[in-house]
Amino acid sequence: MNPIYSQLSLNRMVPIPLYYQIKTFFMDRIKSGELADGETVPPEEELCALWDVSRPTVRQAFSELVHEGYLSRLRSRGTHITHPKINSDFIQKIQNYNQETESMGLTPSTKVLLMEEQPAVEEVAEHLALSPKTPVIRLERLRFADKRPMVYVKTFLPARHFAPILKAADLERDSLYQTLETFCNIRIGRLTRQIHAALADDYLARLLGMIPGSAILCSSTVAYTEEGIPFEYSLASYRGDSYRMNVELSRGNS
């Protein structure tokens, strides 16, 4: 058992319920990183004995922690530490990753894994309205929130327009969209985006710090200028255990 669990000292002299003290202990240690993502939580009976509490007390704390995204329960695998899901509005707002992450009180960061020029394969050429084998820039990035890997993104852009700018840009610090707007006068007019569920292969699982076969959310995005010209095609893979997509619907006229 992780010795950190011995640090919890329940105060029975205050009106704060014991289960809530246990819940707060977990939340504080998870937020501080002392309890790591994916770490296995000791069995309930061991914690009951350690803290001298009843099993229903521990279960109530665990139930609320699971509901709020701090714990996950897997059949035959036990209870594990997780992090609350990020509420994402990226399917209804045009925001760059840094803006979206900062709006949730998290610190974004980016690691560029690859940037090279290559001939466009048929799928990429079709989405960018190019002839097959036209040179494009392939950009691969791993995006983080509070130093935790969240999203792997492959982006393709026409090399003829953007190669000199992108090769000189610091895309680990600066937003791609802001860079294109500042140096190429490209303003986004609209996006088209498709989303589907998938399972992480070995490569994605390693990048995102997940178990192979874990659920991921995949999106394919085409960005258009205000003149309606496609200039970016991106494929993104989001941690399924960390992202929650928000959609707001309103009644139309009938």
Side-chain angles (χ1 to χ4, degrees):
M1 181 187 298
N2 188 330
I4 196 173
Y5 293 105
S6 298
Q7 297 177 7
L8 174 59
S9 178
L10 295 172
N11 189 340
R12 292 170 166 82
M13 304 300 293
V14 297
I16 302 174
L18 295 180
Y19 90 87
Y20 191 80
Q21 294 182 48
I22 295 172
K23 174 184 174 182
T24 302
F25 170 82
F26 272 92
M27 292 173 62
D28 290 344
R29 299 310 187 278
I30 291 171
K31 290 176 180 178
S32 70
E34 295 172 87
L35 288 175
D37 187 40
E39 183 175 332
T40 302
V41 177
E44 291 178 0
E45 57 269 23
E46 292 186 24
L47 294 177
C48 289
L50 176 65
W51 296 328
D52 189 23
V53 295
S54 67
R55 200 157 185 173
T57 297
V58 173
R59 283 183 174 173
Q60 184 172 358
F62 278 18
S63 178
E64 293 192 9
L65 288 164
V66 169
H67 179 73
E68 295 176 25
Y70 290 94
L71 295 180
S72 66
R73 283 176 170 151
L74 300 174
R75 183 175 297 177
S76 77
R77 292 188 180 182
T79 303
H80 296 79
I81 302 296
T82 59
H83 288 256
K85 292 181 181 291
I86 293 175
N87 289 303
S88 175
D89 294 328
F90 89 108
I91 55 176
Q92 56 188 359
K93 290 182 181 179
I94 296 179
Q95 284 183 307
N96 63 50
Y97 178 80
N98 288 353
Q99 291 172 330
E100 181 181 57
T101 305
E102 289 171 349
S103 71
M104 293 177 285
L106 304 174
T107 301
S109 57
T110 298
K111 181 179 181 181
V112 174
L113 304 177
L114 174 73
M115 184 163 63
E116 65 179 19
E117 191 169 319
Q118 62 180 221
V121 299
E122 185 174 348
E123 175 190 355
V124 173
E126 180 180 349
H127 283 96
L128 292 176
L130 302 171
S131 300
K133 298 184 179 181
T134 298
V136 294
I137 292 292
R138 175 176 176 148
L139 173 64
E140 296 185 18
R141 292 168 292 169
L142 187 60
R143 321 301 296 269
F144 299 80
D146 285 350
K147 299 182 179 180
R148 185 175 182 229
M150 289 289 174
V151 191
Y152 167 67
V153 191
K154 288 189 295 186
T155 300
F156 301 89
L157 305 105
R160 181 167 64 92
H161 299 297
F162 305 125
I165 298 299
L166 294 180
K167 290 177 180 178
D170 183 358
L171 295 178
E172 292 194 345
R173 184 190 66 183
D174 300 326
S175 159
L176 173 63
Y177 286 166
Q178 289 177 342
T179 298
L180 296 181
E181 182 173 341
T182 300
F183 296 101
C184 303
N185 199 30
I186 295 292
R187 295 181 60 84
I188 301 174
R190 64 184 178 94
L191 302 175
T192 61
R193 184 166 277 153
Q194 295 182 334
I195 301 170
H196 69 275
L199 301 178
D201 58 21
D202 290 346
Y203 178 69
L204 269 178
R206 185 170 66 254
L207 285 178
L208 295 174
M210 306 177 72
I211 299 172
S214 298
I216 55 175
L217 290 170
C218 299
S219 72
S220 60
T221 300
V222 180
Y224 297 82
T225 67
E226 292 180 326
E227 295 75 32
I229 301 171
F231 70 90
E232 176 217 10
Y233 174 51
S234 288
L235 301 169
S237 300
Y238 296 78
R239 292 181 63 120
D241 62 352
S242 300
Y243 261 82
R244 178 165 48 206
M245 307 304 176
N246 296 326
V247 180
E248 182 176 332
L249 304 177
S250 58
R251 181 186 292 274
N253 295 328
S254 57

